[in-house]
């Protein structure tokens, strides 16, 4: 265990906001110096955070090992996360982060039955083509997309806004297990035991965007996490697709607005499959030349 890895592991257990971590590292120059400043009370952090950071890295690793969770620092994270300037400095991972083409499938928790069925069909189409599905394991569109890809033998990455051992919602614990059994991963920027506080979900959304080679929004209202994820993707040059819906349906207001503003429209699983095939063909042709 290198000193840098140990310091990052200890900082990660502080469960701070990503911006707070950035400020610490900007001020002190390295994880090692930041941890030392926290230990010596030179860094102004709440006592609760300090009490977590001062625990030794060896103790933290032993606890993670007992849970079957790996700590992956920046050097071991998927390279595509580098596209997000404020990307995670670490992830707690159960399972394996696949190095395959990845599509983010997101949408509202308050979706329609049509949206649920469509998200599941999109997940199945991705599985058939070897694309990994990244999403947030939330109720609604997220869970349906994960169900669809796993049911068809594909792999998924679930990014949580809580600790890996704090499933939110609890009803998706079984789905989480199926993702792992199918060779996918459940991961979080936050350490085990972290509660699903509201502010953690926008932080989670940037990781979903960063993992995705393309992002598709199935159903979304005028506000919400799916639109946050799509905005982050657009800001970093990640293609955003969307499925249109009835103009008077609240669950389609966000997707229709995305299409109006330039998102690529997708008209069902066959259309999605054809678009994914085209991306692979263009990538193969580009590599050949």
């Amino acid at each position: 265990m290198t000193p840098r890895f140990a310091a990052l592991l200890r900082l990660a257990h502080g469960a701070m906001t990503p911006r707070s971590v950035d400020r610490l590292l900007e001020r002190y120059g390295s994880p090692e110096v930041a941890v030392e400043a926290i230990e010596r009370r030179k860094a102004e952090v709440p006592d609760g955070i300090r009490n977590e950071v001062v625990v030794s890295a060896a103790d933290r690793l032993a606890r993670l090992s007992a849970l079957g969770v790996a700590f992956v620092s920046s050097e071991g994270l998927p390279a595509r996360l580098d596209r997000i300037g404020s990307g995670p400095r670490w992830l707690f991972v159960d399972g394996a982060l696949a190095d395959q083409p990845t599509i983010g499938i997101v949408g509202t928790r308050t979706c329609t039955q049509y949206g649920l069925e469509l998200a599941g069909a999109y997940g199945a189409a991705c599985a058939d083509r070897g694309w990994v599905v990244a999403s947030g394991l939330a109720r609604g569109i997220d869970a349906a997309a994960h169900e669809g890809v796993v049911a068809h033998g594909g792999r998924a990455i679930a990014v949580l806004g809580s600790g890996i051992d704090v499933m939110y919602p609890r009803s998706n614990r079984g789905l989480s297990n199926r993702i792992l059994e199918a060779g996918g991963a459940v991961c979080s920027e936050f350490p085990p035991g972290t509660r699903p506080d509201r502010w953690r979900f926008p932080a989670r959304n940037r990781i979903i965007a960063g993992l995705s080679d393309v992002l598709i929004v199935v159903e979304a209202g005028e506000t919400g996490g799916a639109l946050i994820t799509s905005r982050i993707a657009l800001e970093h040059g990640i293609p955003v697709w969307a499925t249109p819906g009835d103009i008077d349906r609240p669950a389609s207001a966000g997707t229709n607005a995305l299409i109006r503003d330039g998102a690529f429209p997708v008209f069902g699983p066959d259309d999605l499959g054809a678009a994914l095939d085209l991306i692979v063909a263009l990538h193969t042709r580009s590599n050949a030349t």
Side-chain angles (χ1 to χ4, degrees):
M1 185 191 324
T2 66
R4 176 181 174 82
F5 180 90
L8 287 171
L9 176 60
R10 294 170 68 183
L11 283 176
H13 279 84
M16 292 175 277
T17 67
R19 183 57 189 143
S20 294
V21 174
D22 289 345
R23 284 196 294 264
L24 272 172
L25 295 180
E26 287 166 6
R27 179 174 181 181
Y28 294 105
S30 74
E32 300 95 311
V33 177
V35 167
E36 182 180 5
I38 291 172
E39 287 181 314
R40 296 187 176 186
R41 296 185 176 273
K42 293 181 179 179
E44 296 182 3
V45 299
D47 286 342
I49 291 176
R50 179 174 287 105
N51 292 340
E52 296 296 335
V53 172
V54 298
V55 177
S56 75
D59 286 346
R60 291 303 189 190
L61 277 182
R63 171 62 175 159
L64 292 176
S65 178
L67 292 172
V69 174
F71 179 74
V72 183
S73 62
S74 54
E75 293 81 1
L77 293 175
R80 61 173 64 92
L81 282 170
D82 292 340
R83 296 173 300 181
I84 304 297
S86 59
R89 296 180 181 274
W90 53 69
L91 285 175
F92 295 88
V93 181
D94 190 355
L97 293 173
D99 186 20
Q100 295 172 232
T102 301
I103 180 170
I105 302 181
V106 297
T108 180
R109 292 174 172 84
T110 56
C111 59
T112 65
Q113 184 62 34
Y114 168 77
L116 287 174
E117 293 173 358
L118 194 57
Y122 282 174
C126 294
D128 291 343
R129 288 163 173 79
W131 281 66
V132 176
V133 171
S135 196
L137 204 65
R139 291 188 182 93
I141 297 300
D142 290 18
H146 282 318
E147 290 277 13
V149 68
V150 171
H152 283 75
R155 302 175 71 182
I157 301 173
V159 187
L160 306 186
S162 61
I164 285 179
D165 59 338
V166 183
M167 188 56 55
Y168 180 79
R170 293 181 182 177
S171 58
N172 280 342
R173 171 63 67 185
L175 175 55
S176 170
N177 292 336
R178 291 194 294 278
I179 288 172
L180 294 173
E181 290 167 359
V186 178
C187 62
S188 175
E189 189 173 11
F190 307 109
T194 302
R195 297 174 55 186
D197 300 312
R198 184 181 296 272
W199 68 263
R200 301 187 192 278
F201 290 92
R204 177 274 306 271
N205 292 341
R206 83 193 198 290
I207 298 174
I208 296 173
L211 287 169
S212 303
D213 295 299
V214 61
L215 181 80
I216 182 167
V217 185
V218 180
E219 280 187 334
E222 292 182 320
T223 60
L227 295 189
I228 293 173
T229 309
S230 64
R231 185 180 68 244
I232 295 169
L234 289 168
E235 288 172 352
H236 294 89
I238 298 164
V240 173
W241 301 348
T243 295
D246 296 347
I247 60 172
D248 58 352
R249 180 184 296 171
S252 297
T255 48
N256 288 343
L258 285 170
I259 292 169
R260 178 198 63 202
D261 295 337
F264 179 75
V266 176
F267 300 98
D270 290 341
D271 199 28
L272 174 63
L276 295 179
D277 289 344
L278 179 60
I279 287 178
V280 172
L282 291 173
H283 181 71
T284 301
R285 184 181 304 171
S286 175
N287 287 342
T289 57

